Amino acid sequence: MRMLVVDAFTDRPFAGNPAGVCLLDQAAQRTSEAGSDWMQRVAAEMKHSETAFVRPIDAPDAEFELRWFTPVVEVALCGHATLASAHALYETGVAPADQPIRFRTLRSGVLTVTRVEDGGLLMDFPACPPAETEAPDDLGEALGTTPFWTGRNSQNDLLVLVADEEAVRKLAPDIAALGRMDARGIIVTATADPGQGYDFVSRFFGARVLLGDGEDPVTGSAHCALGPYWGAELGRDRLVGFQASERGGQVGVTLRGDRVELRGRAVTVLDGEFKA
């Protein structure tokens, strides 16, 4: 089976967020070797924050089925691996360049990705706005900085507002402590410094589902919460976010009612055959 590694939310290799993309055919998906357990083992082998599995389907509402796995669990929604999957389908010629791609997912409905004129990709995702909630008692200590506002959304992510961009960039949290909190992940955010080409900054820590330091380099699904939050704060429906991880990546966000359009670019860094 063909396997690609794609750096998402970037226009250059070795930046953004890498995702594995496994292109299945319909016959392979019907075999036991391409079931959920096999996909989880492949994701554990790849060790990316997410590995996506794509197969063609014959359905009126979608052309492909899409599933995402971290090295530990299957997840309900993943932005960067969706972007990577669409990029892989367009680049390999599996999907026509002039037509949108519709992905059927298990828990996030049908997601549509469209290729735009500048070579970027536009993804239509559900909005997941956070509602204000009481911060866990040890959140500030675990992050090493003061939370000014905390919200929780339907993805069970905690969104944490901190003082400024410098506070976001300098975070060195206690990942084990964050992993003990009731949350899929912790999104830490602040307004951008003046004069930047983006409106807000963020970082995402998913200690329960990611290996190593628990940080996801660029998280599309987090922007389903960040977009509505900063749209309300800044009074705008078009924004640009920068995820200030070591690799870094930029995500364009447009608010459309209960949907969020996420925009980004992607680069293939590996294209090969998976033998197992």
Side-chain angles (χ1 to χ4, degrees):
M1 280 170 273
R2 193 168 185 177
M3 174 71 77
L4 296 87
V5 175
V6 177
D7 289 343
F9 293 116
T10 184
D11 59 0
R12 57 189 175 88
F14 315 122
N17 199 352
V21 180
C22 187
L23 300 180
L24 302 168
D25 59 30
Q26 290 172 318
Q29 179 65 10
R30 289 194 293 268
T31 70
S32 60
E33 288 80 5
S36 298
D37 291 344
W38 178 84
M39 292 180 188
Q40 187 63 75
R41 291 196 297 272
V42 171
E45 183 79 10
M46 295 298 290
K47 292 186 172 62
H48 296 301
S49 56
E50 271 87 11
T51 297
F53 297 85
V54 184
R55 74 173 181 101
I57 58 174
D58 184 11
D61 61 343
E63 295 79 35
F64 298 93
E65 179 186 79
L66 175 61
R67 298 174 70 177
W68 314 275
F69 290 76
T70 79
V72 181
V73 297
E74 185 172 8
V75 296
L77 182 66
C78 178
H80 85 278
T82 302
L83 189 80
S85 297
H87 171 84
L89 291 171
Y90 282 131
E91 186 170 77
T92 59
V94 175
D98 61 346
Q99 296 181 19
I101 297 172
R102 298 177 298 172
F103 293 111
R104 178 188 289 172
T105 70
L106 295 181
R107 286 178 280 174
S108 295
V110 174
L111 305 177
T112 302
V113 184
T114 305
R115 201 172 192 175
V116 293
E117 291 182 359
D118 66 359
L121 298 172
L122 190 68
M123 304 189 295
D124 178 22
F125 271 35
C128 298
E132 187 170 7
T133 189
E134 186 175 346
D137 291 339
D138 53 352
L139 179 61
E141 181 179 355
L143 289 174
T145 192
T146 302
F148 287 88
W149 186 90
T150 305
R152 189 184 296 272
N153 69 0
S154 60
Q155 296 184 103
N156 197 29
D157 287 334
L158 284 176
L159 190 146
V160 184
L161 178 68
V162 298
D164 52 27
E165 181 169 336
E166 182 180 21
V168 173
R169 289 181 177 273
K170 288 188 173 181
L171 283 175
D174 182 339
I175 293 297
L178 293 182
R180 291 190 290 270
M181 296 180 186
D182 175 22
R184 179 192 77 131
I186 313 294
I187 308 166
V188 185
T189 189
T191 53
D193 289 343
Q196 303 289 356
Y198 44 85
D199 302 295
F200 60 88
V201 294
S202 67
R203 289 172 69 185
F204 182 93
F205 302 96
R208 290 187 170 189
V209 296
L210 301 175
L211 300 177
D213 65 4
E215 182 168 7
D216 195 33
V218 190
T219 314
S221 62
H223 287 75
C224 296
L226 288 160
Y229 175 80
W230 284 114
E233 289 293 306
L234 301 176
R236 293 164 50 199
D237 59 9
R238 294 178 64 90
L239 308 109
V240 177
F242 181 76
Q243 195 155 329
S245 64
E246 183 177 348
R247 292 174 65 102
Q250 190 163 289
V251 183
V253 182
T254 302
L255 306 177
R256 299 199 183 280
D258 63 354
R259 307 293 294 182
V260 175
E261 289 181 350
L262 305 179
R263 184 168 181 159
R265 301 179 71 91
V267 180
T268 300
V269 295
L270 185 149
D271 186 350
E273 183 179 356
F274 198 84
K275 297 289 189 180

